[in-house]
Amino acid sequence: MSVTGILTATAVVGVVGIFVGLFLGAAGIKFRVEVDEKEEAVLAALPGNNCGGCGYAGCSGLAAAIAKGEAPVNACPVGGAPVGEKIAAIMGVEAGASERKVAFVACMGDCDKSKQDYDYYGAQDCRMMGFVPGGGPKSCNSGCLGYGSCVKACPFDAIRVVNGVAVVDREKCKACGKCVEACPKHLISLIPYDAKYVVACSSKDKGPVTMKACEVGCIGCGLCARNCPSQAVEVKDFHAAIDQEKCTGCGACAEKCPKKCILPRT
């Protein structure tokens, strides 16, 4: 190849490179996506777990909502108050009070206290129990199945199955709600971290039915409600429930409960 051919080829490549560079530069300017600096700062302040406990698909979704004023600055359950305060500073607003919550499993019917109708040897997944007789081997149709669907769903290793019942580690729990979604029996709920007393049962069967199935099931006797001085306990559908806002933590309900299914949490 002659020197002229080499120079011509080099010039052509150079011109093409310049053209492509100019085209890409112009396209970048034309199709540039504006970045909200506050949104980026909020995203950086969030813990990055993408657990969905805030109600959004992930941290980026929450950051965008906060930046637009569509979500409160303390909406992240994982970050809690410290992250809420950082985001409030970024947004130039007050963080406001945020209540720490924790997951709670409303069941104490472990392998020693509850009865079983039969032995089960199938898939170890609570969600599969809807396809087996009686909704599972436990006599109580409202009790924890103990096969750990909630354990698998928890991204913080905050829940374990102990003797057939799921138990939450209150210090590890971030109240993301994944276990709540995973439980097919709807036994798990988010309650205030500083809740004083809780009813550790979900059965709404009549007393005689509950007593046959579990030693520690709520029988709806109403002694807790009648002895509560602050009227914080209500019995409905043979099941006691505590209004945490009214509860003063006196312990009268737990003391009077004949099945001892009302427990202190502090």
Side-chain angles (χ1 to χ4, degrees):
M1 181 180 292
S2 65
V3 175
T4 301
I6 294 174
L7 293 175
T8 300
T10 302
V12 170
V13 171
V15 170
V16 171
I18 293 171
F19 175 77
V20 171
L22 292 173
F23 175 78
L24 293 176
I29 294 172
K30 182 176 180 59
F31 299 105
R32 180 177 57 189
V33 177
E34 295 294 333
V35 176
D36 188 323
E37 293 183 1
K38 283 190 175 181
E39 180 181 331
E40 292 293 310
V42 169
L43 181 59
L46 291 171
N49 295 93
N50 294 308
C51 64
C54 58
Y56 293 86
C59 292
S60 59
L62 176 60
I66 292 175
K68 294 175 183 176
E70 298 173 355
V73 294
N74 57 3
C76 176
V78 177
V83 169
E85 291 173 1
K86 288 181 182 179
I87 295 175
I90 294 170
M91 298 299 297
V93 298
E94 293 292 330
S98 60
E99 183 181 43
R100 181 180 178 183
K101 292 193 173 184
V102 66
F104 169 66
V105 182
C107 181
M108 291 196 304
D110 60 25
C111 296
D112 299 324
K113 300 181 181 69
S114 63
K115 296 180 181 178
Q116 293 203 147
D117 294 328
Y118 55 88
D119 293 326
Y120 173 75
Y121 300 100
Q124 303 295 294
D125 190 325
C126 300
R127 293 165 294 188
M128 296 299 295
M129 294 302 104
F131 301 97
V132 302
K138 281 189 176 180
S139 299
C140 177
N141 291 327
S142 303
C144 177
L145 294 164
Y147 295 114
S149 292
C150 53
V151 176
K152 300 180 184 74
C154 179
F156 303 102
D157 192 32
I159 190 165
R160 286 283 183 271
V161 173
V162 180
N163 197 23
V165 172
V167 178
V168 176
D169 185 325
R170 285 159 49 84
E171 301 310 317
K172 287 184 177 181
C173 178
K174 303 299 181 182
C176 70
K178 291 292 186 180
C179 59
V180 177
E181 296 176 5
C183 179
K185 293 287 187 178
H186 308 294
L187 302 178
I188 309 177
S189 60
L190 298 180
I191 65 172
Y193 179 84
D194 58 358
K196 299 173 179 65
Y197 282 86
V198 290
V199 180
C201 178
S202 295
S203 175
K204 293 184 179 180
D205 291 328
K206 292 182 179 180
V209 176
T210 299
M211 286 192 289
K212 288 181 181 179
C214 181
E215 297 177 8
V216 289
C218 177
I219 57 177
C221 65
L223 285 173
C224 51
R226 289 195 292 273
N227 285 277
C228 177
S230 57
Q231 298 182 328
V233 186
E234 179 185 14
V235 176
K236 185 177 180 181
D237 296 329
F238 308 101
H239 179 263
I242 298 175
D243 185 332
Q244 297 298 337
E245 293 185 0
K246 292 181 179 180
C247 180
T248 61
C250 70
C253 57
E255 181 181 346
K256 295 296 181 179
C257 178
K259 307 305 289 186
K260 302 304 177 186
C261 59
I262 301 181
L263 306 175
R265 298 297 292 174
T266 56

